[in-house]
Structures are given as C-alpha cells and as structure tokens.
Amino acid sequence: MSTLRELAEEHTQLRPADIDHLHRIAGDWQLLSDMSFADLLLWVPVDGDGTFLCVAQVRPTTAPTAYLDDQVGRIIGGPEVAHLEVAHRQGRIWREGDPVWYGDVPARHEAIPVRLRTADGESGEVIAVVGRDTNLSTARTPSQLELNYLTTADDLAQMIADGTFPPPRHPGETTSAPRVGDGLVRLDANGKVTYASPNAQSAYRRMGYASHLVGEDLAKLHRRLAGDPLEGTDAGNAVLAALRGEAPPRREIDARGATVLTRALPLMPAGVPIGVLVLVRDITEVRRRDRALITKDATIREIHHRVKNNLQTVAALLRLQARRVGMPEARVALEESVRRVASIALVHETLSMSSDEAVEFDGIVDRVASAATEVAATEVTVGMRRQGSFGVLPAEIATSLVMVLNELLLNAVEHGFPPTGEEGPASPDGAGRPEVVVSAHRFRKQLHVSVADNGRGLPEQFDAERGGNLGLQIVRALITGELRGTIELRNGATGGTEAVLVVPLARTPTDRLTP
Ligand SMILES: Nc1ncnc2c1ncn2[C@@H]1O[C@H](COP(=O)(O)OP(=O)(O)OP(=O)(O)O)[C@@H](O)[C@H]1O
Ligand SMILES: [Mg+2]
C-alpha cells in the first residue's frame, strides 16, 4: 500500500510543506476521530480533473466505523465530491447534507477544509479536505460524555479549518500522545474544569485527589499535586500556557507514587481562546517497567562480570596445574586450555561493560591476536594485522566466534611458522616477514572473515574437510553448530594458509545492525 507521501506526490501538486502538514494531521487526528465518533478521511484534490483522492483514513475507537473497506487510494468524482468541493473552494466546514447510505449503513457526511497557515501567521490556503463520516446506524440520544466530546470535536474541526490544529510538535515528542480513551478534561477560558471523563477522574484519584474535578482550577491543582504550591510546576505552567493559546509540550506529574502524562491543547476556534483540552494518561505502570528494565540491565552486566571472574579462576587453576605436571605433552595441553578459557572470559568482560547484549568485537579480536603471538613466541616473531571491521556483534555470536578465531590464530602462528631447523624455512616464498592478517567485512547480513598467514601452508595430503586435531574440531563444531555458518581451509593464492568463514548475522533480534 502506498504511503500518504507517495500518493500525494504521484497524484497532486502539493508542496513538501503541504504534505508535512497532512502528516501532522494524520499524526494527531485519532483524537478528533474518537471525539467525533466518526471516520476521518483525508482527501486531496487530484490535478485539474475535479476528482479527489483519499490519502489517509482513521476509524474511531469509540464508535462503529462507517467504512468496513479501506478507503486509502480511492479516487472519487462527480456528485460524490460536491461537499468536498464546497469545503475546498469556500474554505468553510460543510455539514448541511442528508444521510447517505453505504450498503446498508446510513452515514452523515461532513467536510472540513485543511488550511496551512503561512510562516508569517497569515491565513494561508486550503490544501486538502477532511471528510468526517459518522455511522448513524447506532446513533441514539448522546450521553453527557458524548455531548462533551462532540462539542470539543467541533472546536478542533474549526481549528483544522483555521490552520491552528494540530499544534506544532515539540522536538523529541512521538505521536504516542495521550489519547482520548486515556482521560479528558475540558477547561473554560479561566482554567476551571467544566468536564472530566471517568478515566481522567481516575488518573487524578491515583495521584491522591479524591473529589470531583469539575470547578477546580487545574493549573493550581497540578501544582498542589506535585507538592510545590508556590513554584509553578511544569504541568501547572503547561495549563497556563495553553490558556494563553500556546501549545506547551507534554508534561508528567509524579504524586503519591503515581505518574500521569498530561497534554494541554489550546482550544481557539476562529482564533478566539475559549479554553483548554487536557488529555491525561496514567503511565505509572510504564514508568515502573522502565525502572525494572534498568535494573535488569544492571543485573545482566553483573552476571557477565561474575562469569568472567569465574572463567579467570578456572584459567588460573589450569595454569597452576600446568606448572606442576611433569609430562611436557600434558603441560602443553593444559596451557592450551588456559588460553581457550581466557578467550571466552574476554567476551564476558566486554559484555559486562556494555549496556546491551552486544559487543564491539574489533577490540576483542585485537587482544586475542596479540595473546596468540605472545603465547607462541618461538624464535620467529609473527606480525598481526586486522583489516576491516567486525562491528558490533550480539553476545551469542561473539562468544563462539572468539573461540574460533583463537584456534585459527594459534594454528597460523604455531604451524605456519615453525621454529627454523624443525621443518624447513619458515617462509618458503621468502615474501616478507611472517604475518597473519585477519580481515572482516559485512555483506548482505553476513559476516565474512578470513585468517590468512604467509607461512608454509597446509601439510600435503591434509584433509581440509575433516582433518585436524582438537583445535579444528572445535572450530568446525562452533561454525556449523552455534554460528550456522561455513568455513573453508585452503592454501593461499600466494602461499601460506587461509581460513575463510561466513557467518549469518540476521538471525537474532539482538543484532540491531545494518550490514
Ligand atoms: N595455518 C596453518 N598453517 C599450516 N598448517 C596448519 C595451519 N592450520 C592448521 N594446520 C595443520 O592442521 C593441523 C590440525 O590443526 P588443529 O588446530 O586441529 O590441531 P593442532 O593445532 O595440531 O592441535 P590443537 O588441538 O592443540 O589445536 C595442524 O597440526 C597443522 O598441521
Ligand atoms: Mg591448533
């Protein structure tokens, strides 16, 4: 389905600023739809031919819809657009028709012109029309709540026609504003409550205000609830600003352990400030969960920290044991285990310092690489180099991958460049000094890694698919198991050995990265 912007760009000559305004309307109009108990359709005139195109639609959450089918993308003309035409041409709200029928649903049509004021506050032009269509099949005598909603809805409709609704958005505010179902308070021009919906009444009750809201001075009440009656509180000031016709940002009130989000909208149909609409939402639970998440984050970091400590203890024990055993082979095996455990500890150490379950992997690789050269310090000094970047990796990939790289790096140093005299020259092609290059890049949600040395290459008759001791067994098990990737071990094009890995990245929700 096309977006509002795509539809408008394709079929109309609306300017970017016009389309932005239509987006603002569509971001805030659920409120109007709910209070009108009506569907809202946003119609834009198609170039030249007298037809109108529907670019957005919203259904009321408070009443049955007049349209079971989606209307976005529909183009209408002829007698069907007469009321839209009037609103568009004359710039006034049209509401003088008889009910029309959609199948077996009777509906009342209204048309509200959408005006975009010019930057200097001049009245500006009508750029679109909001169709307000009410399903009449369930219409009955409206209740007090409904009457209040309808009056306020008419004020907002007039403000759309004036170009004063929706108010400018404050930076950082999302559209998840309080909605009418959360709670609604209407103030008169003096800031006194004339109506409060049951949900609004409940929100204030949770903050410790038990009596009825009607007649209260809301700015003063907000100050009282927030506990500083003299100083203007944010939520109190917001009400005062809206009474002056300004559109203040959303504010929270904390009182008695409850948190309530408020949004004050000035009501000024035809430019005259007549009062304020305050939407309130009890967000105590949301805030409590936020806090719980913060503690959960800290707990996870602490766990990683402890896992790291435990792994380091295990490594220390093994090292101790390695020193005590007499048999050289056993000692080497134990020392290798020390390195394997230590490389995993590295990942947990990094995780314990980051705020989410993902690690900046390059630093880890560099540390594992330099450890590999140190450990295998034979007579040959092997250089280590990293090309490209691993980026940020989710924890579960990082732990397996660090093990794999550890083995491959050790192999490159140990077998690529054996001590001279043991098995021929270290670098048969004589091309430069011994070096291992780890390269990494991301491509199509995959991580491509290669570990290449310029050593003496794999032994003859080496079975690259299955051959090897414990080291390569660990590597293959992790690659095909945990990492669900592939590995190829081969002789490099210019001598030496190259291990090429491909690891898919897109399978975990924790991986929030673009390749
Ligand atoms: N980069 C390399 N250059 C040359 N030969 C290699 C290289 N990598 C692996 N090999 C060969 O593959 C064999 C198997 O490696 P593998 O890591 O499985 O075992 P290992 O290194 O001998 O012992 P460990 O289990 O301690 O790692 C090595 O013994 C070596 O002969
Ligand atoms: Mg090995």
Side-chain angles (χ1 to χ4, degrees):
M1 204 189 75
S2 309
T3 64
L4 192 165
R5 189 173 299 277
E6 283 162 7
L7 284 168
E9 280 171 356
E10 187 180 334
H11 297 277
T12 72
Q13 296 206 318
L14 291 174
R15 298 154 300 177
D18 300 337
I19 298 177
D20 285 346
H21 189 65
L22 297 186
H23 267 292
R24 268 202 302 282
I25 299 239
D28 255 339
W29 69 350
Q30 182 75 54
L31 181 66
L32 177 60
S33 171
D34 288 348
M35 286 196 295
S36 307
F37 307 97
D39 292 72
L40 302 180
L41 307 183
L42 188 54
W43 296 100
V44 291
V46 179
D47 280 340
D49 63 0
T51 59
F52 279 80
L53 161 73
C54 179
V55 293
Q57 169 185 17
V58 65
R59 295 191 174 90
T61 59
T62 47
T65 177
Y67 301 98
L68 289 173
D69 300 328
D70 193 65
Q71 302 291 306
V72 175
R74 196 168 149 223
I75 294 185
I76 55 171
E80 263 197 291
V81 300
H83 64 299
L84 303 178
E85 273 281 301
V86 173
H88 190 250
R89 220 171 340 100
Q90 301 180 9
R92 67 175 177 89
I93 297 179
W94 181 96
R95 54 168 52 127
E96 52 260 18
D98 291 326
V100 287
W101 290 78
Y102 283 95
D104 46 8
V105 177
R108 184 179 53 237
H109 270 175
E110 289 170 78
I112 305 158
V114 174
R115 194 184 300 277
L116 175 62
R117 297 179 89 79
T118 51
D120 54 14
E122 291 299 307
S123 64
E125 341 163 15
V126 174
I127 55 170
V129 179
V130 170
R132 179 160 70 163
D133 302 336
T134 314
N135 179 339
L136 294 176
S137 59
T138 54
R140 57 203 153 82
T141 321
S143 66
Q144 184 64 24
L145 175 144
E146 286 163 337
L147 280 176
N148 269 291
Y149 279 13
L150 288 169
T151 324
T152 310
D154 283 343
D155 293 336
L156 292 178
Q158 183 58 51
M159 288 168 69
I160 289 184
D162 300 340
T164 51
F165 182 87
R169 188 157 289 161
H170 293 274
E173 279 186 356
T174 56
T175 39
S176 71
R179 291 188 170 189
V180 49
D182 297 324
L184 176 148
V185 181
R186 194 178 160 134
L187 310 182
D188 63 15
N190 299 316
K192 295 273 189 326
V193 176
T194 57
Y195 175 76
S197 75
N199 278 345
Q201 194 69 54
S202 303
Y204 284 91
R205 183 180 287 270
R206 288 214 54 186
M207 294 190 290
Y209 179 77
S211 36
H212 211 277
L213 280 163
V214 172
E216 271 292 326
D217 181 322
L218 200 69
K220 281 193 184 137
L221 176 62
H222 282 181
R223 291 176 189 176
R224 254 196 343 262
L225 288 174
D228 48 352
L230 296 176
E231 284 292 301
T233 62
D234 285 343
N237 287 343
V239 172
L240 295 177
L243 283 169
R244 290 192 300 269
E246 296 160 26
R250 282 143 222 196
R251 294 296 186 200
E252 288 178 17
I253 311 174
D254 275 302
R256 297 258 196 118
T259 310
V260 170
L261 180 66
T262 70
R263 182 186 182 192
L265 282 169
L267 291 174
M268 40 176 185
V272 184
I274 59 163
V276 173
L277 182 64
V278 182
L279 297 164
V280 293
R281 179 196 287 176
D282 181 352
I283 54 166
T284 315
E285 274 310 299
V286 181
R287 286 288 169 270
R288 196 190 55 76
R289 247 176 288 142
D290 283 354
R291 277 194 292 274
L293 276 178
I294 293 169
T295 12
K296 184 168 159 250
D297 261 14
T299 314
I300 290 174
R301 278 205 297 278
E302 174 61 20
I303 290 173
H304 282 302
H305 184 75
R306 290 185 186 185
V307 170
K308 180 214 76 176
N309 284 349
N310 290 348
L311 288 172
Q312 283 180 341
T313 312
V314 171
L317 287 173
L318 290 173
R319 200 175 294 122
L320 209 68
Q321 195 138 32
R323 267 187 226 131
R324 303 232 165 133
V325 295
M327 229 192 331
E329 228 174 282
R331 171 184 301 221
V332 171
L334 283 170
E335 277 167 355
E336 241 154 49
S337 298
V338 169
R339 279 196 300 275
R340 284 174 182 143
V341 173
S343 72
I344 308 175
L346 254 182
V347 175
H348 287 280
E349 183 181 3
T350 319
L351 281 170
S352 72
M353 291 183 292
S354 81
S355 58
D356 52 6
E357 284 293 272
V359 286
E360 186 69 62
F361 201 67
D362 290 345
I364 296 183
V365 174
D366 294 348
R367 283 169 70 180
V368 172
S370 72
T373 39
E374 272 167 34
V375 164
T378 47
E379 298 136 57
V380 206
T381 332
V382 182
M384 282 282 178
R385 198 149 54 83
R386 177 169 53 78
Q387 270 177 358
S389 169
F390 287 81
V392 178
L393 294 180
E396 60 273 31
I397 290 186
T399 357
S400 303
L401 192 59
V402 74
M403 291 271 283
V404 168
L405 292 176
N406 187 42
E407 295 303 325
L408 294 174
L409 287 163
L410 284 174
N411 277 358
V413 174
E414 281 175 4
H415 307 300
F417 313 100
T420 27
E422 193 185 282
E423 278 175 74
S427 197
D429 56 352
R433 46 196 191 83
E435 189 180 44
V436 182
V437 181
V438 182
S439 33
H441 70 274
R442 283 160 180 252
F443 181 67
R444 296 219 174 119
K445 296 210 161 58
Q446 288 180 327
L447 181 63
H448 295 247
V449 181
S450 102
V451 178
D453 62 63
N454 58 355
R456 63 172 177 175
L458 290 165
E460 274 178 46
Q461 296 126 16
F462 181 79
D463 181 352
E465 296 285 315
R466 275 179 297 277
N469 301 324
L470 182 60
L472 284 180
Q473 274 168 32
I474 292 177
V475 168
R476 291 202 189 92
L478 288 171
I479 292 275
T480 53
E482 254 84 353
L483 295 170
R484 283 184 227 160
T486 56
I487 176 163
E488 197 189 331
L489 210 58
R490 59 189 181 209
N491 280 314
T494 57
T497 307
E498 189 183 15
V500 180
L501 327 177
V502 180
V503 176
L505 291 171
R507 64 198 170 85
T508 53
T510 28
D511 184 24
R512 264 164 267 142
L513 299 159
T514 43

